[in-house]
Amino acid sequence: MIKEIITTDVLVVGSGIAGLKVSMELAKAGQNIIMSTKTQLCSGSSFFPLKASLGTQVTKNDEDKTVFLEDIDAVSHNMQDREMAKIYIDEIRDRVEEFPEIGIEPYKLSDDRKACFANHGRTIYMLKDWNKIRENVSEIMENYPNISLMERTAVVSLLKQGERISGAILLDRNNDFIMINSKAVILATGGFGNIYKHNLNPNDVDGSGHILALEAGASLVNMEFIQFIPGFTSPKYKTLWGEHTLNYCEDFVNASGNSILDGVLPEGLSKEECFKVRSTHGPFTNSLPSKYFDIAMMKEILSTKSEEGFELIYDAEIYKNATDFYTIYLNWLEERGINLVRDTMKIAPFAHASNGGVKVDSYGRTGVPGLYAIGELAGGIEGANRLGGNSTGACMVFGKRAAQDCLEFVESVNLVKVNSQPENIKISQIIHSFSANTEDSLTPHDVMEAVREIMWFRGNVIRDEKNLLIALEKIEEMKSAFSMEYFVNQVAERKSAFKARNFLILSSLLLKAMLERKESRGAHYREDYPAENEFYNKRLLILLNNGEMKLDFELRK
């Protein structure tokens, strides 16, 4: 089964900002790196241009450190890693200066700006021109002959000798099984938005790293806190909606022209006030009265089963009086042939980012010797809500720290030679456990499309026990109707077969996490438990115990 064994010092899985940062830091220190990426160099959500630019929020001065931490604490609702938040605040000013080292030339906004969910304005650096960044990265990579890039590859299992990581098995661009023998593995595979039917992620953001880490012995945390952000369904599908434009919005209507907010807003909350608050943040949150904006959309979708989205009626003044804050976004839309006033602008909730992920410490260590997780994959400074402008910066801060610790680790251990025969058996066991005894198996495509449909309708903005249990039952039914072995034996279907398997595992653990947290907090909204409950003032951990998924609430200090 294993076609080839390749030896290296460190395997880095993922080539977004986090993967680039950690790979180049280790390569500078003389380590040999293999970088595996599912698509091409510079991939994942880091290089998926949903809007004109991305921002990195930076501590503006020493006095801001306390205020910045207060901002993170306020939105996290006690679900954050406070130590990691402090480290981000202390180190981000230095790390933003290192963006050019990985091909990114950010520009500093002239004035302080409030990031999404932030109560205070601070320094923002903007990242843009993704094609230029790709060109820069390609040129920079020529200076690192000790980084070997493996594009169109998918890591399907991590290897361990005793408790320690010893490498991985991947499918190469020809779908052959390749074994990587390494001293350490750094996962930078991003989130899992692609498990939802409507999402604002590329196809490679599929949660594979979560399953790799979980099965290697790491735990997951905060998986129920998923960001849903309105995106355009028309005139251009899968385009990020700019929430600040709500300040020029007159109404929000369904196909019949009726306002969808009229029957949802509680007494005392006007449509204008709802719009005003909702204009300050992109993702849905239960923490603010603007939650009814997103709840109204999802209620209509669930009752009508229509996914066409809902129309925003804009005032033409947006194009006459808008400041630079608006015109950057409006000009970007115009480049794509979109005009907010001329066109029929419809939006719906799209899955976007995960606030949770692999439980790590401030060096990206997972608790499994030799295994690190960084970027969106890692459950770190984010809590029940994600403070805007921290994601790209966290890739730099914790990418650097993971490289520092990993360097010490690999220099202190010897390479453990792996034997392909036991690993052949392990892969066979993985495949067999997801191979139902059926002559009429669902295809990997069937499985993935069905999972996406289930998750979007039953694990979206609005959640309740009835729908979550129905969803879990449907996932189990699919598992018993999917023969992974049949499709792995078809070489062209191997990557899809593993991805379908991961979808079945990931959807199950997400639904169970949503079910376990019987309250509403931040990005997690339970219609049957609409209030925040002090009993759940603790993070939910997920781990495997003798092959069985176990969920347990972490005691908070």
Side-chain angles (χ1 to χ4, degrees), residues 62-81:
D62 288 343
E63 290 72 32
D64 184 44
K65 290 182 179 181
T66 301
V67 179
F68 199 166
L69 186 60
E70 289 172 354
D71 276 357
I72 293 175
D73 288 345
V75 302
S76 296
H77 291 253
N78 206 39
M79 297 294 107
Q80 80 280 25
D81 185 315

Side-chain angles (χ1 to χ4, degrees), residues 315-347:
D315 187 331
E317 291 297 311
I318 191 169
Y319 285 96
K320 299 175 182 176
N321 301 324
T323 62
D324 287 347
F325 184 49
Y326 291 87
T327 54
I328 291 173
Y329 176 66
L330 296 176
N331 290 341
W332 181 77
L333 290 179
E334 286 287 352
E335 290 172 6
R336 284 148 184 78
I338 301 171
N339 182 284
L340 297 181
V341 177
R342 177 193 67 219
D343 300 318
T344 300
M345 308 303 302
K346 290 187 176 183
I347 63 171

Side-chain angles (χ1 to χ4, degrees), residues 429-447:
Q429 290 172 340
I430 288 173
I431 295 168
H432 181 73
S433 65
F434 270 79
S435 297
N437 185 17
T438 175
E439 296 180 358
D440 188 24
S441 172
L442 295 171
T443 68
H445 177 78
D446 291 337
V447 170

Side-chain angles (χ1 to χ4, degrees), residues 5 19 21 43 64 95 125 208 229 233 259 289 298 302-303 367 414 438 447 449 470 500 514:
I5 299 177
K21 179 61 176 173
S43 61
D64 184 44
R95 296 293 82 79
Y125 283 82
S208 59
I229 297 184
T233 56
S259 176
M298 207 63 219
L302 293 173
S303 64
N414 295 318
T438 175
V447 170
E449 289 304 295
I470 290 172
M514 295 172 191

Side-chain angles (χ1 to χ4, degrees), residues 237-248:
Y237 178 73
K238 207 166 178 172
T239 301
L240 187 65
W241 168 67
E243 69 278 356
H244 53 298
T245 62
L246 263 186
N247 288 314
Y248 289 90

Side-chain angles (χ1 to χ4, degrees), residues 177-375:
F177 287 101
I178 303 295
M179 181 179 290
I180 305 295
N181 190 189
S182 64
K183 295 179 180 180
V185 173
I186 301 176
L187 299 175
T189 54
F192 51 79
N194 192 242
I195 201 172
Y196 281 87
K197 183 177 183 180
H198 301 294
N199 66 82
L200 294 173
N201 299 116
N203 289 337
D204 58 335
V205 180
D206 57 12
S208 59
H210 299 76
I211 307 305
L212 290 171
L214 188 67
E215 293 184 332
S219 58
L220 307 178
V221 65
N222 282 350
M223 293 296 284
E224 64 273 34
F225 297 114
I226 307 162
Q227 286 192 168
F228 289 91
I229 297 184
F232 288 116
T233 56
S234 67
K236 190 174 179 64
Y237 178 73
K238 207 166 178 172
T239 301
L240 187 65
W241 168 67
E243 69 278 356
H244 53 298
T245 62
L246 263 186
N247 288 314
Y248 289 90
C249 188
E250 296 175 348
D251 210 344
F252 193 23
V253 301
N254 59 20
S256 302
N258 299 317
S259 176
I260 67 169
L261 289 173
D262 287 345
V264 176
L265 292 180
E267 187 176 350
L269 179 65
S270 68
K271 192 181 304 180
E272 292 72 24
E273 181 62 23
C274 183
F275 282 176
K276 182 180 178 181
V277 178
R278 191 64 183 81
S279 72
T280 65
H281 61 93
F284 164 79
T285 178
N286 180 68
S287 308
L288 297 170
S290 51
K291 63 185 177 182
Y292 297 104
F293 183 88
D294 304 77
I295 290 171
M297 279 193 286
M298 207 63 219
K299 278 185 173 293
E300 286 274 330
I301 289 167
L302 293 173
S303 64
T304 63
K305 296 297 184 286
S306 171
E307 302 167 60
E308 294 182 357
F310 307 98
E311 185 178 358
L312 292 162
I313 310 297
Y314 282 102
D315 187 331
E317 291 297 311
I318 191 169
Y319 285 96
K320 299 175 182 176
N321 301 324
T323 62
D324 287 347
F325 184 49
Y326 291 87
T327 54
I328 291 173
Y329 176 66
L330 296 176
N331 290 341
W332 181 77
L333 290 179
E334 286 287 352
E335 290 172 6
R336 284 148 184 78
I338 301 171
N339 182 284
L340 297 181
V341 177
R342 177 193 67 219
D343 300 318
T344 300
M345 308 303 302
K346 290 187 176 183
I347 63 171
F350 282 66
H352 183 230
S354 169
N355 292 357
V358 181
K359 187 175 184 294
V360 296
D361 66 9
S362 61
Y363 287 96
R365 295 178 293 209
T366 64
V368 179
L371 180 62
Y372 298 79
I374 54 175

Side-chain angles (χ1 to χ4, degrees), residues 3-4 6 34-41 148-156 169-180 490-496:
K3 182 180 179 181
E4 184 182 6
I6 303 173
I34 288 177
M35 181 188 289
S36 168
T37 179
K38 296 192 195 79
T39 55
Q40 61 182 343
L41 181 66
S148 299
L149 179 64
M150 297 184 71
E151 297 180 315
R152 312 291 173 188
T153 58
V155 176
V156 296
I169 294 174
L170 59 77
L171 289 167
D172 68 8
R173 62 168 61 241
N174 299 314
N175 281 351
D176 290 320
F177 287 101
I178 303 295
M179 181 179 290
I180 305 295
Q490 300 180 41
V491 176
E493 291 280 4
R494 279 179 180 165
K495 288 191 179 86
S496 294

